[in-house]
């Protein structure tokens, strides 16, 4: 791609189409890495949002699509926007070819490769470090350990698989961090790109196989890795077949002054990446602090407004168990109630004050409706809660659920017999 020889028509059009499409896909990177630029990023992407909505409703006849990001990268909006980018890239390639009669773009190709290297490198480092520091995949929560296996979604199954093993999670993170680092230097960029393709192909297959909602994004990273490796594709293939390969051409040096400017700019970019990555991981693990109520609790007695509720499966008002996290609590009702839990009624944010033995439960964050419960914790495996919940005065006693086999089995170098349940 960086040859000074004339390119064929297909190569020129393909290159121009790819440059425009890639620019639209990564836009407005790296602006959003800077602190306090969320408003500017939203402003700059608003025209593309409007164009996507227009394409969806006016041309494709689709209903109004939700454009607010909700954690999923595979929304209908994202697919329509990718179609919009492809249309704009095709128009841009045609217009570019009509206005520009040059037969090749070696310098632009080299510049595009540098931008892609830094873009993909940063993303690989970001995702990799989030695994190394166990932010993306953390320890299994009480609710996850208490969930019926058959009620787990495919994505939830993959997440629990990753959450279970800290060594494998860290290993997976390092497999992303290493190519991310290699991509930041020209001499190691090709091996970084090849490694990125291998790692992200596996990630893309996991996303496709377990219905994880970042399919488009992971596939895009595979394609970008391929673009970065493309200039050395022939040399890589020849080496794989055991044939002699020519040395990689040396980078054309600029004047000493421009070389110093380039080096300063690279150091500034790397320092900026380091600062942005530090801000991402400096928050620590989500489950770094565990209060004394953390865990699964089984309800022994349940009284509402002074009336005792026996553990009848037909009683939708009685609690069956409680999964206590650091900042949330999930309440399971008896089978006659809501199970799996209704997030509007059985899933609450809470704050445990160990000093005063109180629990502040957020019922409606928008309306700032909160409840204060009091608890007694006479023994590590015993708990009593008193408070008003949804207008009813409750008195509940609970005992700690025994630890599950999944977290007690541990690791064994030697197994006399298979242990597979």
């Amino acid at each position: 791609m960086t040859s000074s020889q004339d390119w064929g028509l297909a190569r020129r059009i393909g290159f121009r189409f790819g440059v425009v499409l890639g620019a639209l896909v990564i836009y407005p990177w790296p602006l959003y890495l800077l602190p306090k630029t969320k408003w500017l990023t939203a402003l700059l992407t608003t025209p593309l949002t409007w164009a996507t909505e227009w394409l969806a409703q006016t041309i494709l006849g689709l209903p109004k699509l939700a454009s607010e990001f909700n954690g999923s990268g595979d929304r209908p909006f994202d697919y329509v926007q990718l179609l919009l980018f492809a249309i704009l890239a095709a128009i841009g390639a045609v217009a570019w070819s009509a206005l520009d009669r040059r037969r090749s773009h070696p310098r632009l190709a080299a510049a595009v490769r540098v931008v892609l290297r830094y873009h993909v490198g940063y993303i690989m480092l970001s995702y990799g470090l989030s695994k190394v520091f166990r932010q993306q995949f953390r320890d299994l929560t009480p609710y996850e350990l208490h969930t019926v296996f058959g009620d787990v979604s495919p994505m939830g199954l993959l997440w629990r698989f990753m959450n279970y093993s800290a060594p494998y999670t860290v290993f997976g993170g390092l497999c992303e961090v290493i190519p991310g680092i290699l991509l930041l230097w020209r001499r190691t960029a090709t091996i970084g790109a090849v490694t990125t393709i291998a790692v992200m192909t596996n990630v893309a297959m996991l996303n496709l196989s377990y219905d994880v909602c970042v399919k488009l994004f992971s596939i895009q990273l595979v394609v970008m890795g391929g673009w970065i490796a493309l200039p050395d594709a022939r040399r890589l293939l020849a080496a794989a077949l055991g044939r002699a390969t020519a040395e990689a051409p040396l980078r054309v040096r600029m004047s000493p002054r421009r070389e110093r400017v380039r080096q300063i700019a690279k150091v500034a970019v790397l320092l900026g990446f380091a600062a942005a990555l530090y801000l991402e991981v400096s928050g620590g693990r989500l489950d770094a602090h565990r209060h004394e109520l953390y865990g699964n609790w089984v309800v022994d007695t349940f009284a509402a407004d002074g009336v005792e509720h026996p553990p009848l499966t037909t009683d939708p008002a009685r609690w069956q168990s409680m999964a206590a996290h650091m900042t949330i609590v999930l309440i399971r009702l008896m089978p006659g109630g809501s199970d799996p839990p209704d997030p509007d009624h059985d899933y609450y944010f809470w704050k445990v004050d160990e000093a005063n033995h109180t629990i502040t439960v957020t019922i409606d964050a928008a309306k700032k409706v909160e409840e204060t419960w009091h608890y007694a914790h006479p023994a590590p495996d015993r708990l009593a809660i008193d408070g008003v919940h949804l207008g009813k005065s409750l008195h509940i006693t609970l005992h700690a659920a025994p630890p599950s086999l999944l977290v007690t089995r541990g690791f064994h170098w030697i197994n006399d017999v298979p242990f597979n349940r």
Side-chain angles (χ1 to χ4, degrees):
M1 291 178 60
T2 58
S3 172
S4 60
Q5 298 178 354
D6 288 346
W7 296 355
L9 177 62
R11 183 177 180 181
R12 292 199 304 273
I13 294 178
F15 172 78
R16 292 161 181 169
F17 175 85
V19 169
V20 178
L21 180 61
L24 290 169
V25 168
I26 70 173
Y27 176 82
W29 185 87
L31 176 63
Y32 56 78
L33 300 181
L34 301 176
K36 299 181 180 180
T37 57
K38 186 177 180 180
W39 66 272
L40 183 57
T41 299
L43 180 64
L44 293 175
T45 55
T46 296
L48 291 176
T49 300
W50 288 346
T52 303
E53 293 173 345
W54 175 83
L55 176 63
Q57 298 176 45
T58 305
I59 304 301
L60 301 180
L62 300 175
K64 182 175 177 58
L65 303 179
S67 59
E68 189 72 21
F69 183 68
N70 59 5
S72 171
D74 294 331
R75 303 163 298 169
F77 177 87
D78 298 303
Y79 284 94
V80 174
Q81 187 166 74
L82 184 59
L83 174 61
L84 172 69
F85 290 168
I87 294 172
L88 293 177
I91 295 173
V94 171
W96 187 350
S97 299
L99 297 174
D100 191 347
R101 299 297 182 182
R102 283 181 294 179
R103 307 292 294 180
S104 62
H105 305 280
R107 291 187 177 181
L108 179 59
V112 168
R113 190 174 188 236
V114 171
V115 172
L116 279 182
R117 286 200 292 111
Y118 281 87
H119 175 71
V120 177
Y122 180 86
I123 292 174
M124 297 297 288
L125 285 170
S126 176
Y127 273 93
L129 290 174
S130 72
K131 294 179 179 66
V132 170
F133 289 97
R134 302 211 64 204
Q135 291 180 312
Q136 183 180 12
F137 301 111
R138 65 281 183 277
D139 293 338
L140 289 166
T141 64
Y143 174 68
E144 290 169 331
L145 292 170
H146 198 59
T147 303
V148 176
F149 182 82
D151 291 336
V152 176
S153 68
M155 179 177 174
L157 175 61
L158 176 59
W159 246 243
R160 286 160 174 79
F161 167 80
M162 294 296 297
N163 287 345
Y164 169 74
S165 176
Y168 184 76
T169 297
V170 174
F171 170 77
L174 292 175
C175 288
E176 295 175 349
V177 168
I178 291 172
I181 295 174
L182 294 175
L183 285 169
L184 300 180
W185 277 266
R186 185 184 66 89
R187 293 183 180 181
T188 57
T190 300
I191 186 62
V194 172
T195 311
T196 296
I197 295 171
V199 172
M200 290 311 302
T201 298
N202 179 61
V203 172
M205 280 304 302
L206 288 173
N207 293 340
L208 292 168
S209 303
Y210 288 86
D211 194 29
V212 181
C213 51
V214 283
K215 306 175 189 68
L216 284 179
F217 186 59
S218 57
I219 293 173
Q220 288 169 3
L221 289 176
V222 174
V223 174
M224 290 180 185
W227 183 288
I228 297 169
L230 188 59
D232 293 317
R234 290 184 178 180
R235 296 178 65 250
L236 288 170
L237 181 59
L241 296 176
R243 298 177 181 176
T245 58
E247 292 185 359
L250 297 176
R251 181 177 63 85
V252 177
R253 297 287 177 175
M254 299 178 288
S255 65
R257 181 178 180 181
R258 290 187 177 183
E259 282 294 318
R260 285 194 297 269
V261 172
R262 184 192 65 81
Q263 292 172 357
I264 293 173
K266 179 166 185 172
V267 171
V269 169
L270 293 179
L271 290 176
F273 281 6
L277 291 169
Y278 173 77
L279 291 176
E280 287 187 18
V281 302
S282 60
R285 288 179 54 187
L286 298 177
D287 56 354
H289 173 70
R290 294 182 179 180
H291 51 68
E292 59 183 346
L293 304 189
Y294 183 90
N296 280 308
W297 298 89
V298 179
V299 174
D300 294 322
T301 64
F302 181 90
D305 291 334
V307 178
E308 185 76 23
H309 288 245
L312 301 176
T313 59
T314 56
D315 185 355
R318 189 186 190 278
W319 294 11
Q320 182 183 44
S321 62
M322 182 180 75
H325 300 238
M326 288 74 66
T327 57
I328 61 174
V329 59
L330 294 106
I331 301 167
R332 283 186 178 273
L333 306 178
M334 298 300 287
S338 169
D339 191 14
D342 181 347
D344 293 332
H345 299 287
D346 301 302
Y347 174 103
Y348 304 102
F349 286 96
W350 73 347
K351 183 177 181 181
V352 176
D353 185 343
E354 297 182 7
N356 297 312
H357 279 205
T358 60
I359 306 170
T360 303
V361 183
T362 302
I363 302 301
D364 189 328
K367 297 180 180 179
K368 298 182 179 180
V369 178
E370 295 181 341
E371 298 173 348
T372 300
W373 301 348
H374 296 267
Y375 72 90
H377 196 41
D381 62 341
R382 296 292 169 180
L383 177 66
I385 294 177
D386 291 277
V388 176
H389 178 53
L390 301 180
K392 293 185 178 182
S393 179
L394 303 182
H395 174 72
I396 309 167
T397 62
L398 311 93
H399 70 271
S404 64
L405 174 64
L406 188 61
V407 296
T408 59
R409 165 63 179 169
F411 173 78
H412 298 78
W413 280 111
I414 299 173
N415 293 273
D416 293 329
V417 294
F419 191 82
N420 184 7
R421 294 185 181 178

